[in-house]
């Protein structure tokens, strides 16, 4: 369900009278402008269709105009041609559009003044009156039939002011036309749905306004509540009820459109109440038990989502070789020159043409001079002659083989050696290492000292690299105090922030310390805003679960930015992944062990991708276990571990608050979801800290 808007960009902070969407069973999403909303709709609908699911997408604006407008504009009563007419004329940008000008253009087609009215601009629009009472018009009806039947509905002609929907219609129909064209959708009720993958339907949340008011949460924007409740209601309808609502008997609907659920308000309201009613969960003694309807998200599934949805965000710049160490290549490096550029000698010795050697042990006269590294010998070595050659020297013309000086006898002006020297011996061929035009380093590589040598050898003196990724770190919680300061009873020192700041730096990124934030949603929102302005990604610790003071997940949910949480991982199940003003946020658990595990498993690969390095799977190896363990199937577990005598030892306790185990450990043992029992000697996967890039 989508609550549309005809206005300009509403900014990064979620607010009312903006665009909100909601997929049944998920949190509402805020979109700051129509362009961002259409991009999201296109991507999400495409994902659902690719997964083999059919989609019903509802939009809260009229899909047509009162009978007569289509014929006046396009010469026939087909409302879908009217969609295309608007798509061809509407110019839309986040901060401006031409909807008022188009309304005036349509008014000029009729005698009198109207039918459109309302101008939200400072400049006057020719033939578009600012007030409805200025109209003198009766060529087309004021209302569609559906609007006359829907109590409280507004006509399509009002372009601005309280209750106006004219701008929504005019800015929404082009979007519908593009979705219909892209996905082969059916526009209801103008076309039969049949087996089309996407059904576009007109909705009006006010049909169930009372239920929406009952279900609206204390801190929820009304527009968000409307799409959430309506999506839940439609998803809860039995198939026969849904089919009945999609059957419209009013003949005017074929030309004007119709509101889904009109005439079935009680049925829709009952479905909404049932879908949004509070359902208390059964009592649980397991602290890791999930709320009803929430399933574990497997680690690999979460990683796949991050890998597919994220992309590099850092800008690029070109720097000299001396400034490129440790930077991420933005473009491939192509050799400007072969290495070696010319055939050269691999040893100190004597060069000659092998094909011209006499039978038996050769004795060759020496030409004057020598070939040394640097300037090439300019003469030509005649057949049957040899020349003194030093290591690295370009081979003179007439030389294709070099015999080592240790294998010759030097006489007066001549040199002798045993028969059997093979053609091309002790010679490096031109381009043997790299040929000019070869790609020598791929984009995404972190530049090493050896890479600098290679680049210099092939004539490359400057590299296009990405600017370092900036990662903000925020600790949350009233219980935290700064190390070294006096701690009250019940308070603890903030161990996570210095750990995460160091982890980010060791991973090659730039840490941005935004300090500690108390359990105060207003202050945390301000910190998120500051982080989005200063950094490319955000790591928080604490507040990622579902308690009263878990403000990280609550803010992300409220902003419609929460992607997923409740990971099938131990330690670290309460993990929030979301977006804030377009910046990825990784809400890590508050316990230090869980924080570093989830940072290594989820955040570091994702940060590498954002930095332009590509997705890198942590590198580990199999070792015999020096421990035994029984575990429940269903969750992936990471144990603090180290290697002793070729076997993997694990820390004495799995408690997430035992920070000493992190210093003790040299990495993590990774136990798959389905592993049930490990005995000493069984092979286990050990990932050293270096395997995570630390």
């Amino acid at each position: 369900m989508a609550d549309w808007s005809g206005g300009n960009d509403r900014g990064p902070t979620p607010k009312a009278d903006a665009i909100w969407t909601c997929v049944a069973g998920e949190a509402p999403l805020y979109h700051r402008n129509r362009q961002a909303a259409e991009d999201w709709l296109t991507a999400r609908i495409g994902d659902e269709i690719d997964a083999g699911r059919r989609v019903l997408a509802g939009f809260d604006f009229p899909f047509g105009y009162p009978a007569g407008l289509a014929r006046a504009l396009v010469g026939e009563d087909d409302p879908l041609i009217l969609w295309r007419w608007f798509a061809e004329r509407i110019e839309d940008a986040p901060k401006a559009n031409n909807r008022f000008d188009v309304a005036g253009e349509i008014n000029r087609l009729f005698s009198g003044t109207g039918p459109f009215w309302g101008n939200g601009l400072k400049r006057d629009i020719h033939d578009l009156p600012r007030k409805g009472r200025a109209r003198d018009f009766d060529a087309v009806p004021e209302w569609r039939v559906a609007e006359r039947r829907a109590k409280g509905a507004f006509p399509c002609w009002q372009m601005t002011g309280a209750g106006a929907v004219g701008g929504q219609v005019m800015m929404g129909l082009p979007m519908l036309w593009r979705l219909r064209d892209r996905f082969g959708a059916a526009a209801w009720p103008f076309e039969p749905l049949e087996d089309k993958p996407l059904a576009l339907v007109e909705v009006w949340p006010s049909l169930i306004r009372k239920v929406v008011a009952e279900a609206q949460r204390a801190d929820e924007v009304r527009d968000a509540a409307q799409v959430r409740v309506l999506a839940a209601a439609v998803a809860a309808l039995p198939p026969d009820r849904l089919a009945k609502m999609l059957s419209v008997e009013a003949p005017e609907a074929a030309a004007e459109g119709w509101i889904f659920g009109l005439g079935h308000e009680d049925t829709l309201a009952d479905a909404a109440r049932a879908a949004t009613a509070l359902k208390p969960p059964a009592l649980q003694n397991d602290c890791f038990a999930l709320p009803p309807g929430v399933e574990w998200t497997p680690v690999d599934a979460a990683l796949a989502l991050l890998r597919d949805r994220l992309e590099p965000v850092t800008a690029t710049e070109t720097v000299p070789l001396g400034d490129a160490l440790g930077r991420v290549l933005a473009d491939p490096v192509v050799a400007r020159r072969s290495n070696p550029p010319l055939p050269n000698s691999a040893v100190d010795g004597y060069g000659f043409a092998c094909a011209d050697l006499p039978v038996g042990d050769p004795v060759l006269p020496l030409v004057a001079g020598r070939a040394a590294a640097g300037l090439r010998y300019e003469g030509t070595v005649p057949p049957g002659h040899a020349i003194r050659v030093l290591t690295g020297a370009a081979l003179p013309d007439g030389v294709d083989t070099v015999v080592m000086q240790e294998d010759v006898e030097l006489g007066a002006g001549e040199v002798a050696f045993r028969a059997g020297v093979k053609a091309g011996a002790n010679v490096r061929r031109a381009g043997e290492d790299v040929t000019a035009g070869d790609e020598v380093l791929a984009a995404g590589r972190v530049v090493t000292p050896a890479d600098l040598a290679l680049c210099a050898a092939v004539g490359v003196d400057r590299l296009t690299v990405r600017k370092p990724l900036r990662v903000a770190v925020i600790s949350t919680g009233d219980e935290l105090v700064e190390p070294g300061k006096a701690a009250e009873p019940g308070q603890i020192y903030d161990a996570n922030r210095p750990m995460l700041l160091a982890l980010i730096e060791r991973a090659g990124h730039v840490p941005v310390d935004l300090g500690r934030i108390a359990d105060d949603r207003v202050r945390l929102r301000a910190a998120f805003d500051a982080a989005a302005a200063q950094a490319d990604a955000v790591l928080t610790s604490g507040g990622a679960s579902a308690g009263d003071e878990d403000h990280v997940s609550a803010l992300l949910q409220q902003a419609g930015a929460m992607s997923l949480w409740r990971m099938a991982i131990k330690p670290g199940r309460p993990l929030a992944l979301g977006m804030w003003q377009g910046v990825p946020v990784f809400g890590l658990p508050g316990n230090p062990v869980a924080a570093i595990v989830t940072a290594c498993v989820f955040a570091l690969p994702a940060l590498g991708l954002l930095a332009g390095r590509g997705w890198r799977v942590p590198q580990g190896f199999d070792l015999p276990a020096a421990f035994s363990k029984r575990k429940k199937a269903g969750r992936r577990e990471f144990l603090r571990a180290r290697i002793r005598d070729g076997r993997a030892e694990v820390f004495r306790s799995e408690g997430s608050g035992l920070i000493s185990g992190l210093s003790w450990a040299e990495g993590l043992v990774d136990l798959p979801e389905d592993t049930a029992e490990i005995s000493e000697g069984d092979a286990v996967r050990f990932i050293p800290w270096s395997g995570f890039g630390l």
Side-chain angles (χ1 to χ4, degrees):
M1 294 298 154
D3 182 282
W4 204 245
S5 172
N8 291 338
D9 186 288
R10 298 285 284 151
T13 304
K15 53 180 64 70
D17 299 323
I19 299 176
W20 288 84
T21 60
C22 186
V23 176
E26 300 182 9
L29 294 176
Y30 166 76
H31 308 275
R32 60 184 296 170
N33 55 52
R34 286 179 295 279
Q35 290 72 29
E38 186 172 345
D39 289 346
W40 180 87
L41 285 163
T42 302
R44 183 58 189 267
I45 292 170
D47 288 346
E48 297 297 330
I49 292 174
D50 290 345
R53 292 184 285 270
R54 298 178 70 197
V55 180
L56 184 148
F59 298 85
D60 73 331
F61 56 81
F63 278 20
Y65 286 90
L69 183 68
R71 178 164 293 278
L73 294 187
V74 298
E76 55 184 291
D77 292 322
D78 184 348
L80 294 181
I81 295 181
L82 197 60
W83 288 17
R84 184 178 67 185
W85 189 92
F86 279 106
E88 291 171 348
R89 286 161 176 79
I90 288 295
E91 300 171 2
D92 196 9
K95 293 293 187 182
N97 61 73
N98 67 337
R99 68 186 189 273
F100 298 111
D101 297 281
V102 172
E105 175 188 344
I106 295 174
N107 281 354
R108 284 192 289 277
L109 299 175
F110 298 92
S111 60
T113 304
F116 288 99
W117 66 274
N119 179 4
L121 303 178
K122 293 182 179 179
R123 63 181 174 89
D124 289 334
I125 302 292
H126 184 53
D127 287 326
L128 181 64
R130 292 188 180 272
K131 300 294 184 181
R133 60 177 177 269
R135 290 186 303 165
D136 176 16
F137 184 82
D138 57 6
V140 292
E142 178 76 0
W143 307 87
R144 297 185 303 159
V145 171
E147 288 151 4
R148 289 201 299 267
R149 296 189 186 181
K151 185 178 180 181
F154 280 72
C156 305
W157 311 119
Q158 183 178 344
M159 295 294 293
T160 188
V165 298
Q168 291 173 258
V169 181
M170 201 171 287
M171 307 311 296
L173 294 183
M175 176 270 302
L176 293 180
W177 176 258
R178 289 187 288 270
L179 291 179
R180 178 179 176 272
D181 182 62
R182 182 183 183 92
F183 296 109
W188 178 86
F190 310 127
E191 301 174 299
L193 302 184
E194 296 177 342
D195 59 349
K196 293 294 181 66
L198 172 63
L200 303 171
V201 302
E202 176 185 336
V203 298
W204 190 42
S206 290
L207 286 181
I208 54 171
R209 59 171 63 85
K210 185 176 180 181
V211 183
V212 171
E214 295 169 354
Q216 184 175 353
R217 295 159 184 162
D219 58 351
E220 189 174 29
V221 173
R222 187 171 69 90
D223 299 333
Q226 289 184 157
V227 292
R228 177 178 59 83
V229 174
L230 190 56
V234 177
L237 287 170
D240 60 331
R241 298 289 179 87
L242 178 61
K244 192 171 183 179
M245 288 190 187
L246 291 170
S247 299
V248 182
E249 297 179 358
E252 297 86 356
E256 295 185 339
W258 197 255
I259 299 170
F260 175 84
L262 184 61
H264 305 273
E265 288 87 341
D266 290 344
T267 300
L268 192 59
D270 289 343
R273 286 192 179 93
T276 57
L278 292 176
K279 300 177 181 65
L283 294 175
Q284 300 281 353
N285 291 321
D286 180 2
C287 67
F288 291 106
L290 290 170
V294 179
E295 299 179 355
W296 295 114
T297 300
V299 170
D300 286 340
L303 292 174
L305 176 64
L306 291 172
R307 184 173 60 247
D308 294 342
R309 298 290 175 88
L310 298 178
E311 59 186 18
V313 297
T314 47
T316 63
E317 59 181 343
T318 301
V319 300
L321 285 186
D323 296 332
L325 182 64
R327 302 289 290 275
V328 179
L329 288 175
D331 296 327
V333 177
V334 176
R336 297 179 181 173
R337 186 186 191 195
S338 296
N339 183 50
L342 296 170
N344 68 78
S345 177
V347 298
D348 291 339
Y350 297 85
F352 49 85
C354 192
D356 297 328
L357 292 179
V359 176
D361 294 338
V363 178
L364 303 180
L366 289 170
V367 300
R370 67 175 188 173
L375 296 177
R376 191 183 184 201
Y377 182 81
E378 295 184 357
T380 299
V381 178
H385 287 67
I387 186 172
R388 175 65 168 157
V389 178
L390 302 182
T391 301
L395 298 184
D397 292 339
V399 173
D400 61 17
T401 305
V402 176
V403 61
M404 295 176 61
Q405 66 182 20
E406 293 87 348
D407 295 332
V408 305
E409 180 71 25
L410 186 62
E414 59 184 7
V415 63
F417 50 93
R418 295 284 188 182
V421 176
K422 295 182 179 180
N426 301 313
V427 167
R428 304 186 186 104
R429 300 183 304 278
E432 180 179 285
D433 180 21
V434 176
T435 302
D438 285 352
E439 180 181 311
V440 294
L441 296 174
R445 181 180 177 87
V446 179
V447 178
T448 68
D451 294 338
L452 299 179
L454 175 59
C455 290
V458 297
V460 175
D461 65 333
R462 298 178 69 81
L463 299 177
T464 301
V465 297
R466 291 192 173 273
K467 293 186 177 181
L469 187 79
R470 296 176 60 82
V471 183
V473 174
I474 302 171
S475 286
T476 69
D478 290 337
E479 74 278 13
L480 299 179
V481 294
E482 199 73 12
K485 293 188 177 180
E488 299 294 333
Q491 290 187 312
I492 59 174
Y493 293 116
D494 182 6
N496 283 345
R497 204 166 91 257
M499 175 180 69
L500 294 176
L501 289 167
L503 179 142
I504 290 166
E505 186 170 6
R506 285 291 293 271
H509 312 303
V510 177
V512 179
D513 186 359
L514 292 185
R516 293 173 291 106
I517 304 298
D519 290 322
D520 182 316
R521 198 165 300 184
V522 173
R523 291 183 59 194
L524 184 58
R525 179 189 293 275
F528 275 179
D529 290 342
Q534 300 178 53
D536 305 302
V538 184
L539 292 190
T540 70
S541 61
S545 190
D548 291 346
E549 299 299 335
D550 289 319
H551 298 295
V552 171
S553 54
L555 273 178
L556 293 177
Q557 286 280 17
Q558 182 180 338
M562 179 74 88
S563 295
L564 50 92
W565 58 299
R566 305 277 186 195
M567 302 297 174
I569 185 174
K570 180 181 178 182
R573 185 195 62 156
L575 173 68
L577 301 176
M579 303 290 287
W580 189 267
Q581 298 180 23
V583 175
V585 178
F586 299 83
L588 308 180
N591 284 324
V593 177
I596 197 170
V597 167
T598 50
C600 287
V601 174
F602 296 106
L604 288 182
L607 294 177
L609 186 58
L610 294 172
R613 300 177 185 175
W615 187 269
R616 298 187 181 183
V617 177
Q619 298 299 303
F621 46 89
D622 293 339
L623 290 173
F627 63 94
S628 59
K629 174 181 171 61
R630 298 188 65 180
K631 69 177 284 290
K632 293 180 181 179
R635 279 200 296 167
R636 191 147 158 198
E637 296 192 14
F638 291 86
L639 310 178
R640 285 153 285 177
R642 67 184 185 184
I643 301 174
R644 291 296 181 271
D645 299 324
R647 302 196 305 167
E649 295 181 351
V650 296
F651 191 56
R652 57 182 171 82
S653 171
E654 297 178 16
S656 292
L658 301 183
I659 305 176
S660 63
L662 294 176
S663 294
W664 174 93
E666 297 167 348
L668 301 173
V669 160
D670 178 2
L671 300 180
E673 287 92 341
D674 57 355
T675 300
E677 187 167 349
I678 300 99
S679 300
E680 288 195 37
D682 289 348
V684 293
R685 190 70 170 170
F686 175 77
I687 306 175
W689 297 127
S690 60
F692 293 104
L694 302 177

